[in-house]
Amino acid sequence: MSDKQIFESNGLAIAFAVEGAGPALALVVDRGSDLDSLATLSHLVSSADFRIVRIEADDAGQVFAVLDHLDIDHAWIGGHGTGGVVARTAAIEQHDRVNGVLLLGVDQDAPALSGGIPVLVVQATDDGVTPPANGEALRDSAPGLVSVVTIEGGGHRFPETRAGEAAWAIEDYLDWD
């Protein structure tokens, strides 16, 4: 597993961790969580030749500040819960740098999708915070652009409790091997 690092940007300390090598996937943790909440998922996905950057970010600017610090020009941007809202905002604000959006649960208060960018939704059947109906509604709003994979059980913390199934869904969809 990777060690937590701190990057200072505009007077803010942004925690992040990097693991693996290959195409980049930035994962923004859910509000109230820390980098460890996505550590197992990150480790599993990075072992399939991905470079995973976990970030504790409140906004898209912080995500791009960390990516710039790491010399990453393009990446898939993803997030769990409210981290997904940050990911969707990042896709809107810097469309040209975002290869796709990964949503680990769909927050109903998130901004609209950025046109033309593919979206993978991985969600749990029993998530009461970001219920599966949100992911299905997003897919219905953008047919052909949004793919949904639903994992049995796990609750809102499914990226931790069902990390293997979530990692498989991500690796299968991205198929960068």
Side-chain angles (χ1 to χ4, degrees), residues 8-68:
E8 301 269 339
S9 175
N10 296 322
L12 294 173
I14 306 167
F16 72 97
V18 182
E19 187 169 12
L25 168 60
L27 291 176
V28 182
V29 301
D30 198 7
R31 183 176 293 124
S33 296
D34 62 18
L35 296 176
D36 290 341
S37 68
L38 297 177
T40 301
L41 176 65
S42 173
H43 180 70
L44 293 170
V45 175
S46 70
S47 66
D49 299 324
F50 296 91
R51 183 178 188 192
I52 308 299
V53 182
R54 288 176 282 136
I55 307 171
E56 292 178 14
D58 294 324
D59 61 50
Q62 294 173 4
V63 172
F64 289 113
V66 170
L67 293 180
D68 289 344

Side-chain angles (χ1 to χ4, degrees), residues 16 19 30-31 37 48 59 61 69 75 80 123 125 127 142 144-145 155-156 162 165-166:
F16 72 97
E19 187 169 12
D30 198 7
R31 183 176 293 124
S37 68
D59 61 50
H69 172 70
H80 175 228
Q123 59 188 9
T125 57
D127 187 339
L145 194 60
H156 185 61
R162 300 285 196 273
E165 292 136 295

Side-chain angles (χ1 to χ4, degrees), residues 10-173:
N10 296 322
L12 294 173
I14 306 167
F16 72 97
V18 182
E19 187 169 12
L25 168 60
L27 291 176
V28 182
V29 301
D30 198 7
R31 183 176 293 124
S33 296
D34 62 18
L35 296 176
D36 290 341
S37 68
L38 297 177
T40 301
L41 176 65
S42 173
H43 180 70
L44 293 170
V45 175
S46 70
S47 66
D49 299 324
F50 296 91
R51 183 178 188 192
I52 308 299
V53 182
R54 288 176 282 136
I55 307 171
E56 292 178 14
D58 294 324
D59 61 50
Q62 294 173 4
V63 172
F64 289 113
V66 170
L67 293 180
D68 289 344
H69 172 70
L70 297 171
D71 293 320
I72 297 173
D73 293 328
H74 295 82
W76 269 75
I77 310 289
H80 175 228
T82 57
V85 175
V86 173
R88 287 170 73 168
T89 303
I92 292 167
E93 291 182 4
Q94 294 203 33
H95 181 86
D96 58 323
R97 294 187 64 186
V98 178
N99 298 334
V101 175
L102 167 65
L103 301 174
L104 300 169
V106 176
D107 189 299
Q108 74 178 42
D109 296 328
L113 294 174
S114 182
I117 293 180
V119 177
L120 171 62
V121 174
V122 181
Q123 59 188 9
T125 57
D126 61 348
D127 187 339
V129 177
T130 55
N134 294 354
E136 292 158 11
L138 184 64
R139 179 188 56 215
D140 294 344
S141 74
L145 194 60
V146 178
S147 297
V148 176
V149 177
T150 303
I151 295 170
E152 187 66 37
H156 185 61
R157 295 286 170 212
F158 75 91
E160 296 171 68
T161 63
R162 300 285 196 273
E165 292 136 295
W168 182 88
I170 294 165
E171 294 165 20
D172 184 59
Y173 181 84

